[in-house]
Amino acid sequence: MPILLDADPAKAAPLVAVLPAGTQVVDSADRLFTWLTHRSDEYAVVLGPSLSVPEAMTIADRMRTVLPTASVILVRDSVDTDVLTRAMHAGVREVVSAGDLPQVTASLQRAHALWAALRGTASAPAKLGRVITIFSPKGGVGKTTMSVNLGIALMRGGENRVCVVDLDLAFGDIAITLQLFPTHSIEHAIGGESSMDYAFVEELMTPHESGLMVLAAPSQPDARERVSGALVTRLLHTLQSHFDYVVLDTAPAFDEQTLTALDETDDCIIVATLDVPTLKNVKVALETLDVLGVAEGHRHLLLNRADEQVGIGADKVEGILGMGVTVQVATSLDIAKATNAGRPLMLSSPSHPSSKALKSLADKLMGYETAPPAAVPPQKGRTPRLPRPEPIPAPQPATPATTDKRDEGPKRFRISRR
Ligand SMILES: Nc1ncnc2c1ncn2[C@@H]1O[C@H](COP(=O)(O)OP(=O)(O)OP(=O)(O)O)[C@@H](O)[C@H]1O
Ligand SMILES: [Mg+2]
């Protein structure tokens, strides 16, 4: 987006009329440079006619080092050779007469083309973050709880940039689980499919005190219908260009948005609990993931409420589901309390056995192998049955993270082709 600097609203008004919607207008150099410290994707700075020539030259000169990819466009009530010479020396790209508004538009178009060309050639191939989807065909098994705690674990104390997207679009509770009160949500991205960039998505996100960024679900369930698969895809691609890990909490269903997200998924965490109906549905879901080719070799089974007293152990689960248990999280009052307090266990009690279990999962996803903590305490008088996970190919963060998987060919299921 361009940014216009002019302290005189009357002088700024005709320019605003021809600038693209969403253009930021500021009234001082200080505000301009403050704004630019948060945004690196502004492609033009328009210096309005009410600025004095020396002030405009100082700003243009400073822009050379602050944001060299942005063109400075100087608008003057009258243009003479003296202004042109001084502007050229200060690094102004174009000087336009205030009365020639079509020329202002044309200058902006040239600025945008230059910016796009500079970005295309100067930047290294974009590093793409990994999409980690937490999925279960059953509700209430702990998907949201695991999403937020895993998201925090993946941050590794600020080493990684992580966001959580609430794709449980009708009944998402990520925000409430983190005690956040978002002003924007995915709903506000509707219609922005074709022109979405990170600056736009960033405005819709809510930061958590931990540093985790949250893209909340709509506040009203009916908005779900208007979130298209194309929008989900575009959102994820945009987030991947900025975050190291994009964690997706999902609805307990194979709806269009979930299918689209699964199609973009690098690692899929399947959450199961030790009850027969859930295991039956997880089995069916795994078969569906097989058919769709979702995250093959990168699926991880998370057994929540993994308490042996209920008569089914991890070994039985592995037999039923035909895959190893990656991590177990025991039933814990502390987890339920943490949800009610709006402060994830990973923050309030990082050395809790459940936090350690999720940290071990996060380590595995990041490519660090750690010894899995004993999540389920041995029962008195019984021989503990330890899970015997199938070997899971270790994720290779370096290569996949730097490879644009959109170029990998037609391996992935595309809902749009159905
Ligand atoms: N291991 C656990 N021990 C105790 N309570 C847990 C555990 N895991 C989750 N819970 C609690 O269970 C409740 C449901 O968890 P959560 O909201 O994460 O499930 P969900 O799968 O996201 O549900 P939904 O499908 O409705 O979105 C929460 O109150 C949470 O605190
Ligand atoms: Mg949930």
Side-chain angles (χ1 to χ4, degrees):
M1 276 294 152
I3 175 164
L4 168 65
L5 166 56
D6 201 307
D8 181 348
K11 293 270 185 191
L15 292 169
V16 170
V18 295
L19 290 168
T23 296
Q24 187 69 21
V25 184
V26 290
D27 58 6
S28 71
D30 281 350
R31 281 177 199 242
L32 169 73
F33 288 107
T34 305
W35 176 263
L36 292 177
T37 55
H38 301 295
R39 309 288 281 252
S40 57
D41 57 350
E42 307 292 22
Y43 61 85
V45 170
V46 181
L47 302 177
S50 75
L51 260 75
S52 71
V53 171
E55 194 182 0
M57 297 309 129
T58 308
I59 293 167
D61 198 31
R62 205 170 147 195
M63 281 299 298
R64 280 204 269 229
T65 47
V66 171
L67 193 58
T69 49
S71 298
V72 176
I73 298 169
L74 178 63
V75 183
R76 305 305 301 164
D77 284 329
S78 65
V79 179
D80 55 39
T81 46
D82 175 51
V83 168
L84 284 175
T85 311
R86 292 173 71 178
M88 193 180 72
H89 289 151
V92 171
R93 193 162 296 277
E94 307 221 14
V95 182
V96 187
S97 162
D100 191 356
L101 293 177
Q103 199 50 45
V104 175
T105 309
S107 300
L108 283 169
Q109 283 166 351
R110 285 190 287 271
H112 187 268
L114 177 68
W115 173 82
L118 285 171
R119 284 212 333 171
T121 51
S123 55
K127 176 182 179 292
L128 284 184
R130 289 182 76 78
V131 175
I132 297 175
T133 302
I134 321 292
F135 179 73
S136 180
K138 278 295 250 188
V141 294
K143 297 179 297 297
T144 301
T145 309
M146 301 306 143
S147 299
V148 296
N149 283 288
L150 189 65
I152 292 166
L154 285 166
M155 285 172 54
R156 276 176 77 90
E159 202 177 287
N160 293 320
R161 287 180 298 188
V162 182
C163 69
V164 177
V165 180
D166 198 340
L167 277 185
D168 187 351
L169 296 168
F171 300 107
D173 339 288
I174 289 278
I176 197 91
T177 299
L178 290 168
Q179 246 185 15
L180 294 174
F181 303 96
T183 53
H184 291 82
S185 75
I186 292 181
E187 187 178 357
H188 297 95
I190 294 170
E193 288 89 333
S194 54
S195 58
M196 191 180 290
D197 60 10
Y198 179 67
F200 170 75
V201 180
E202 190 181 21
E203 303 279 314
L204 310 184
M205 302 184 94
T206 312
H208 183 249
E209 52 162 272
S210 61
L212 193 68
M213 293 294 283
V214 172
L215 185 53
S219 54
Q220 296 302 321
D222 59 346
R224 172 178 56 180
E225 310 305 327
R226 290 183 287 121
V227 177
S228 65
L231 176 61
V232 172
T233 304
R234 184 67 198 247
L235 257 175
L236 296 181
H237 290 178
T238 306
L239 291 169
Q240 278 179 280
S241 66
H242 185 79
F243 290 97
D244 299 300
Y245 296 96
V246 179
V247 177
L248 307 182
D249 185 21
T250 53
F254 281 117
D255 54 26
E256 185 193 353
Q257 297 89 353
T258 305
L259 282 168
T260 307
L262 287 168
D263 188 33
E264 298 293 331
T265 295
D266 293 295
D267 287 277
C268 187
I269 317 296
I270 297 120
V271 185
T273 48
L274 292 175
D275 57 284
V276 172
T278 298
L279 291 173
K280 179 226 131 206
N281 286 330
V282 169
K283 173 99 182 140
V284 175
L286 285 172
E287 287 164 6
T288 309
L289 297 183
D290 279 343
V291 172
L292 302 180
V294 169
E296 281 162 339
H298 292 274
R299 292 184 208 150
H300 315 270
L301 185 60
L302 189 162
L303 215 48
N304 190 20
R305 301 181 180 275
D307 311 283
E308 298 223 329
Q309 302 93 304
V310 295
I312 308 175
D315 50 355
K316 247 188 206 163
V317 170
E318 291 181 348
I320 295 168
L321 300 182
M323 77 183 285
V325 173
T326 307
V327 66
Q328 301 184 51
V329 177
T331 298
S332 161
L333 203 55
D334 299 326
I335 295 184
K337 277 189 195 163
T339 303
N340 291 343
R343 189 163 167 78
L345 196 70
M346 194 65 73
L347 290 177
S348 58
S349 189
S351 51
H352 190 283
S354 302
S355 300
K356 284 186 177 168
L358 287 169
K359 264 187 211 153
S360 81
L361 175 60
D363 283 349
K364 194 179 259 290
L365 294 168
M366 290 184 283
Y368 305 105
E369 287 295 334
T370 50
V376 183
Q379 303 298 304
K380 230 182 177 178
R382 298 180 57 186
T383 311
R385 284 180 288 175
L386 293 175
R388 294 189 190 288
E390 305 261 300
I392 292 173
Q396 296 156 2
T399 318
T402 51
T403 305
D404 188 341
K405 65 178 182 288
R406 285 162 255 166
D407 296 335
E408 271 181 8
K411 160 175 128 352
R412 289 161 173 274
F413 166 80
R414 297 277 164 201
I415 189 151
S416 52
R417 292 200 195 125
R418 292 259 147 149

